[in-house]
Amino acid sequence: NAGVMQNPRHLVRRRGQEARLRCSPMKGHSHVYWYRQLPEEGLKFMVYLQKENIIDESGMPKERFSAEFPKEGPSILRIQQVVRGDSAAYFCASSDQGASYNEQFFGPGTRLTVL
Amino acid sequence: KQEVTQIPAALSVPEGENLVLNCSFTDSAIYNLQWFRQDPGKGLTSLLLIQSSQREQTSGRLNASLDKSSGRSTLYIAASQPGDSATYLCAVKGGTSGSRLTFGEGTQLTVNP
């Protein structure tokens, strides 16, 4: 039973390029959360998605960032026109329900470096 | 807005010592609290999950307690080992933050042989 998978594990982009980060939740999980960990900082919530729906995007920067979780396939976090300040570790978590008591299981993260 | 604070920010102890890491949160209306371990450059490993109706959870040498009314949790590590060296993160779910997890800044633990 595979855990949460993220790819790529490491991503290098030049300023102005696009970054696409992928997250495959655990089997049977339909709720996905994205978190960002900036260098020397704690993890911050970005967005919560259920299949084909964005439930809570209050932690997403207003520009350049978008997320989706289609009916088929992984969840995608997309960053357009990356800047050096986007360099961070991006973690995805999944749960089988959005219920209050459900545990979130984390993936290994994608480490984005913007040159 | 939920805020989570972890004290101390860093801790260095000799091998074999028992130690306590502290976590406090401002909104006591949480659903659950989770302790994680993070090794440098790595992902998060879940250690213990305490539901709001529970007072403590134990796993091996680890024991976590929860006092919702005072907004506090402690992680107790018995007989520490060099392999315990890592950053320990506390995260709460619920209250004004809904389904998201709100993380503390972490305690960086070093256990010296």
Side-chain angles (χ1 to χ4, degrees):
Chain A
N1 184 13
V4 178
M5 299 172 66
Q6 292 187 248
N7 67 79
R9 296 289 303 275
H10 299 274
L11 182 61
V12 179
R13 285 287 178 265
R14 296 190 181 279
R15 281 179 295 170
Q17 292 184 318
E18 179 179 288
R20 281 183 179 242
L21 288 61
R22 295 175 184 77
C23 169
S24 296
M26 286 180 68
K27 186 177 180 180
H29 286 192
S30 59
H31 297 254
V32 165
Y33 307 79
W34 286 93
Y35 297 85
R36 178 169 67 173
Q37 187 174 36
L38 293 166
E40 308 303 323
E41 292 190 18
L43 279 88
K44 306 290 186 196
F45 167 80
M46 298 182 75
V47 62
Y48 164 31
L49 309 104
Q50 197 180 351
K51 283 285 188 180
E52 301 185 275
N53 289 302
I54 296 175
I55 308 300
D56 180 359
E57 57 181 348
S58 58
M60 287 276 272
K62 297 296 182 215
E63 298 178 349
R64 303 187 296 108
F65 285 72
S66 63
E68 63 176 7
F69 189 17
K71 187 176 180 181
E72 301 291 337
S75 174
I76 306 287
L77 179 67
R78 182 184 179 203
I79 311 172
Q80 295 178 289
Q81 299 175 334
V82 295
V83 301
R84 290 217 173 111
D86 297 332
S87 295
Y90 292 81
F91 292 96
C92 164
S94 74
S95 66
D96 60 353
Q97 297 179 39
S100 56
Y101 50 82
N102 281 73
E103 184 174 0
Q104 293 179 22
F105 296 85
F106 280 77
T110 293
R111 277 152 186 84
L112 172 65
T113 301
V114 179
L115 303 177
Chain B
K1 176 187 169 188
Q2 179 73 273
E3 293 182 1
V4 180
T5 304
Q6 291 188 244
I7 294 172
L11 182 62
S12 181
V13 300
E15 182 177 3
E17 200 163 287
N18 301 325
L19 56 99
V20 174
L21 308 181
N22 297 290
C23 172
S24 61
F25 45 95
T26 54
D27 184 346
S28 61
I30 63 170
Y31 300 141
N32 58 47
L33 182 146
Q34 204 162 351
W35 284 93
F36 294 90
R37 169 187 172 138
Q38 186 176 30
D39 292 281
K42 304 293 184 183
L44 279 70
T45 300
S46 180
L47 299 173
L48 291 165
L49 170 70
I50 311 177
Q51 300 292 354
S52 61
S53 58
Q54 299 174 322
R55 295 298 300 269
E56 66 176 342
Q57 283 285 348
T58 299
S59 176
R61 294 183 293 108
L62 305 179
N63 175 275
S65 67
L66 173 63
D67 184 343
K68 251 185 63 171
S69 60
S70 67
R72 295 171 189 257
S73 175
T74 60
L75 178 66
Y76 175 82
I77 302 177
S80 58
Q81 303 170 358
D84 294 331
S85 299
T87 295
Y88 290 80
L89 298 168
C90 166
V92 298
K93 183 180 184 183
T96 53
S97 299
S99 292
R100 73 177 75 167
L101 289 174
T102 302
F103 284 84
E105 297 285 316
T107 293
Q108 187 173 350
L109 173 66
T110 302
V111 181
N112 301 299

